[in-house]
Amino acid sequence: MGRLTDKTALVTGASRGIGRGIARRLARDGALVAVHYSTGETEAKETAALIGEEGGQAFTVRADISEPDQVAELFGALERELTERTGSTALDILVNNAAFSGHTALPGDVTAELLDQYYAVNARAPFLIAQRALQLIPQGGRIVNISSGITRSAQPDMIAYAMSKGVIEQLTLHLARHVADRGITVNSVAPGLTDNGKPMFSNPAVVARLAELSAFKRVGQVEDIADVVAFVVSDDARWITGSYIDASGGTLLG
């Protein structure tokens, strides 16, 4: 039996990239996975289909989490689906993965509108989702917030993104203390340069240049991140909470 057998999980932004990798890995470990998406319905259904082909269980739920009222819609759909499949609304694992990466802009070019876009998805939504999920998460549950290695290094043209991801780490820290008496762990996992399927990763020259930034001289794969998340949500990580887990492949070692 998988170590997540009889567990349920919600992975936001799971239609592709790192989110898809996490959803697939948790399903392989035995969890029933809710694959959340905002606009990529076809890709989300592909994620669920891949999980089914691998012997796992999954279903899709849609919500534009940049809109606060749609968080309620997300959980309405999630609760219906969980009840139908398990007879309960219990959610054992939440992975706040969905993110807006937008476009780069130097500090002088960052607009209020761009900041709002970043914060709506990368900061406000994870808080609201975790807040609502805690009504469903039982004793010993798990919350994982996907941060970014960019919060530990300086790249001025990514300041807006980095600021919004920094909020994730504060959410992790304070929420971990708040729910500790329920045996719930809350941790941040921070990927570095990871091949998430974006066009630039199909360019060998670009990949070679990015690989030089890692201590291992390669670009990360979604499986590298998914495996870390799988550990953090397992019982093996029961004594880890409030932590920032660097999953950047040594990118920050200099």
Side-chain angles (χ1 to χ4, degrees), residues 169-254:
E169 292 161 25
Q170 291 303 306
L171 170 62
T172 293
L173 184 66
H174 297 280
L175 197 60
R177 184 64 169 172
H178 179 64
V179 300
D181 61 349
R182 293 169 55 183
I184 298 171
T185 68
V186 187
N187 291 288
S188 295
V189 171
L193 293 162
T194 306
D195 184 351
N196 56 9
K198 288 186 176 180
M200 69 177 184
F201 290 104
S202 63
N203 184 325
V206 171
V207 171
R209 186 168 68 251
L210 297 177
E212 287 301 311
L213 300 175
S214 164
F216 299 118
K217 303 305 179 187
R218 70 173 177 86
V219 167
Q221 301 299 309
V222 295
E223 293 80 10
D224 296 321
I225 313 306
D227 289 350
V228 174
V229 173
F231 164 70
V232 173
V233 303
S234 74
D235 189 57
D236 292 341
R238 62 192 175 277
W239 205 235
I240 302 173
T241 196
S243 292
Y244 170 92
I245 300 170
D246 180 344
S248 70
T251 301
L252 305 179
L253 295 178

Side-chain angles (χ1 to χ4, degrees), residues 136-154:
L136 309 179
I137 296 177
Q139 184 81 14
R142 301 284 187 265
I143 297 176
V144 178
N145 298 313
I146 304 301
S147 180
S148 170
I150 196 66
T151 65
R152 294 295 196 273
S153 61

Side-chain angles (χ1 to χ4, degrees), residues 102-123:
H103 60 272
T104 59
L106 289 167
D109 299 320
V110 174
T111 63
E113 290 76 17
L114 183 60
L115 282 175
D116 285 345
Q117 286 181 293
Y118 276 114
Y119 273 79
V121 178
N122 299 355

Side-chain angles (χ1 to χ4, degrees), residues 79-96:
E79 290 181 33
R80 288 192 297 273
E81 294 284 354
L82 289 176
T83 300
E84 180 179 328
R85 288 168 168 78
T86 70
S88 168
T89 60
L91 177 68
D92 299 290
I93 298 163
L94 167 64
V95 181
N96 267 319

Side-chain angles (χ1 to χ4, degrees), residues 19-57:
R20 173 180 283 187
I22 292 170
R24 293 176 68 182
R25 175 56 201 269
L26 300 188
R28 284 198 295 272
D29 282 355
L32 167 63
V33 180
V35 175
H36 162 263
Y37 69 98
S38 175
T39 58
E41 180 178 9
T42 299
E43 292 88 348
K45 288 182 176 178
E46 287 175 357
T47 299
L50 285 167
I51 288 171
E53 291 168 7
E54 294 167 349
Q57 300 179 75

